[in-house]
């Protein structure tokens, strides 16, 4: 299992980001969905945990088959999805991803939010500090976005909010920006397949980083669309958008109910901490077949057939002689024996 801690700063407060995150996830999921493909919301309801208190839990299925690169579609079943279950006790959330095709694969994400610039090195407690992990800062303005996901309107180096007057984000903005908050994400990727574990986990972390970068960029780029919303209004937007998204991908479940009355939640689920995963179109290097792979020598180079002359002759049954008939019974024109 490969753990990494990601720190993503935003020119927002923690309370503002609570609204912005819900708005961004709903809008992004709807934009990225098409008939038969996209994000299906299976469950979204209040939940109360003895340790963390009241929260919201959801379960989503991200259908990805047509979005997979060609090398993956060749081996993945057509009915393929990633299940996202999350428990949102804001400002603390837990999100888990599992794969319908790879039962030994999972992603576990713990997230905490604080009003600082990513300076808290002990936010996950002493137990997490004892685990050897890499800390990665994600800069929403200056880290490179995959070209296929780049939009000029979401380039935060040149974006300025009309309603908040925040932006343009200059280099070093995390040291001078006010307000500022940080999303701390402790991500554990597990792929328990001998021989591929390390390479697959490293590849997945690269994809996770791209997802976090894209989602947080969009949350601030769309700030003027959601900054005036209340929690009730963003919940209504979330409900309406989820129903529209389910219809868009061809799934027509009963109307989704998002209420403030806590309901029993028998299956862990919760709001996503990031939009659906963008995937590369080329096979990762560790899955490609080496061109200079030596040929196996477990079988002979040529197949030698036995000489027909050396074959064992077939067994023949002894011939049976019929008793000769008496001359008196033979026809007159018969040939002599």
């Amino acid at each position: 299992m490969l753990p990494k801690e990601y720190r993503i700063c935003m020119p927002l407060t923690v309370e503002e980001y609570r609204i912005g995150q819900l708005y961004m996830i709903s809008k992004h999921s709807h934009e990225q969905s098409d008939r038969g493909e996209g994000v299906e919301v299976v469950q979204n309801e209040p939940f109360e945990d003895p340790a963390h208190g009241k929260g919201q839990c959801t379960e989503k299925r991200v259908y990805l088959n047509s979005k997979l690169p060609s090398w993956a579609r060749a081996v993945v079943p057509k009915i393929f999805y990633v299940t996202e279950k999350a428990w949102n006790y804001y400002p603390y959330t837990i999100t888990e991803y599992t794969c319908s095709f790879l039962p030994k694969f999972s992603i576990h994400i713990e997230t905490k939010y604080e009003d600082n610039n990513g300076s808290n090195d002990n936010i996950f407690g002493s137990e997490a500090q004892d685990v050897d992990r890499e800390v990665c800062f994600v800069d929403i303005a200056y880290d490179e976005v995959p070209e296929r996901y780049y939009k000029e309107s979401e380039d935060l180096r040149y974006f300025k909010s009309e309603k908040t007057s925040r932006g343009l984000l200059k280099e070093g903005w995390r040291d001078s920006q006010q307000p500022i908050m940080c999303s701390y994400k402790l991500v554990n990727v597990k792929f328990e397949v001998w021989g591929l574990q390390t390479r697959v986990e490293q590849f997945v972390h690269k994809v996770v980083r791209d997802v976090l970068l894209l989602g947080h960029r969009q949350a601030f780029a769309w700030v003027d669309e959601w900054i005036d919303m209340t929690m009730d209004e963003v919940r209504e937007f979330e409900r309406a958008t989820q129903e529209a998204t389910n219809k868009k991908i061809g799934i027509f479940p009963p109307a989704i109910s998002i209420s403030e009355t806590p309901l029993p939640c028998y299956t862990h689920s919760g709001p996503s901490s990031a939009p659906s995963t963008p995937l590369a179109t080329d096979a990762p290097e560790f899955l490609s077949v080496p061109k200079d792979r030596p040929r196996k020598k477990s079988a002979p180079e040529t197949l030698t057939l036995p000489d027909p002359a050396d074959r064992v002759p077939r067994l023949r049954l002894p011939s049976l002689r019929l008793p000769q008939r008496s001359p008196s019974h033979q026809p007159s024109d018969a040939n002599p024996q």
Side-chain angles (χ1 to χ4, degrees):
M1 184 168 62
L2 182 62
K4 286 190 179 183
E5 181 184 323
Y6 296 92
R7 301 181 186 181
I8 311 102
C9 292
M10 301 281 286
L12 303 167
T13 66
V14 169
E15 282 304 308
E16 288 172 339
Y17 184 69
R18 184 178 189 179
I19 303 289
Q21 179 194 44
L22 296 174
Y23 181 91
M24 175 270 294
I25 292 168
S26 297
K27 180 176 177 178
H28 178 94
S29 297
H30 186 72
E31 286 185 349
Q32 296 298 313
S33 299
D34 201 352
R35 186 160 189 84
E37 298 287 340
V39 182
E40 173 199 2
V41 181
V42 179
Q43 180 185 16
N44 187 350
E45 61 188 31
F47 176 69
E48 188 166 354
D49 181 84
H52 303 293
K54 294 182 179 180
Q56 192 83 6
C57 63
T58 63
E59 178 178 345
K60 298 179 182 180
R61 291 179 180 176
V62 185
Y63 294 89
L64 294 170
N65 191 269
S66 70
K67 299 181 185 297
L68 293 174
S70 58
W71 59 267
R73 287 199 302 270
V75 296
V76 171
K78 289 185 177 181
I79 304 176
F80 167 76
Y81 59 86
V82 173
T83 298
E84 174 195 277
K85 296 181 179 181
W87 303 260
N88 188 350
Y89 312 103
Y90 200 86
Y92 173 66
T93 66
I94 303 171
T95 310
E96 291 181 352
Y97 295 89
T98 54
C99 178
S100 60
F101 179 63
L102 298 171
K104 294 182 179 295
F105 171 78
S106 65
I107 304 174
H108 179 88
I109 303 175
E110 282 188 73
T111 306
K112 291 188 176 183
Y113 307 94
E114 284 190 349
D115 286 313
N116 56 49
N117 65 349
S119 56
N120 189 346
D121 293 328
N122 196 36
I123 190 168
F124 293 105
S126 56
E127 292 185 4
Q129 285 295 107
D130 295 337
V131 177
D132 185 20
R133 70 185 189 277
E134 180 183 353
V135 176
C136 305
F137 282 87
V138 178
D139 191 326
I140 61 173
Y142 288 90
D143 282 359
E144 186 176 354
V145 177
E147 184 177 355
R148 62 190 175 280
Y149 298 109
Y150 175 83
K151 292 182 181 180
E152 187 176 353
S153 62
E154 297 172 4
D155 192 329
L156 304 184
R157 296 172 298 176
Y158 312 113
F159 169 79
K160 184 170 183 178
S161 166
E162 294 181 1
K163 292 185 177 181
T164 66
S165 298
R166 299 174 200 170
L168 315 160
L169 298 182
K170 303 299 182 182
E171 286 202 55
W173 65 273
R174 289 180 298 178
D175 297 325
S176 58
Q177 172 67 36
Q178 288 296 331
I180 191 169
M181 55 83 62
C182 184
S183 173
Y184 294 83
K185 292 184 177 289
L186 184 59
V187 181
N188 288 283
V189 178
K190 183 187 296 184
F191 185 66
E192 297 176 339
V193 176
W194 186 86
L196 288 176
Q197 180 174 1
T198 300
R199 292 179 179 179
V200 170
E201 290 178 355
Q202 289 174 346
F203 173 72
V204 171
H205 268 293
K206 181 182 182 304
V207 175
V208 167
R209 184 187 176 95
D210 288 345
V211 170
L212 297 177
L213 175 59
L214 178 63
H216 287 78
R217 280 168 64 99
Q218 290 178 330
F220 183 58
W222 298 339
V223 63
D224 289 343
E225 301 175 25
W226 57 260
I227 192 66
D228 295 327
M229 283 185 170
T230 63
M231 179 57 69
D232 290 339
E233 289 171 340
V234 79
R235 286 296 186 194
E236 175 59 27
F237 173 82
E238 183 184 38
R239 183 199 63 78
T241 306
Q242 288 172 356
E243 289 185 1
T245 302
N246 284 0
K247 291 180 180 179
K248 188 177 180 182
I249 63 176
I251 299 170
F252 301 92
I256 298 170
S257 175
I258 302 177
S259 64
E260 296 302 324
T261 304
L263 299 174
C265 183
Y266 300 104
T267 304
H268 278 2
S269 16
S272 63
S273 59
S276 57
T277 304
L279 295 171
T281 56
D282 298 323
E285 183 179 352
F286 60 83
L287 289 180
S288 60
V289 179
K291 295 181 180 179
D292 57 347
R293 182 174 62 184
R295 196 172 174 183
K296 291 185 177 180
K297 301 295 183 181
S298 58
E301 295 293 333
T302 59
L303 181 64
T304 305
L305 296 175
D307 189 340
D310 297 334
R311 292 180 180 176
V312 178
R314 295 180 181 177
L315 294 175
R316 295 185 178 182
L317 296 174
S319 59
L320 298 176
R321 287 182 174 273
L322 297 174
Q324 294 185 355
R325 296 182 181 181
S326 62
S328 61
H329 291 88
Q330 292 183 359
S332 58
D333 58 349
N335 294 324
Q337 295 292 329

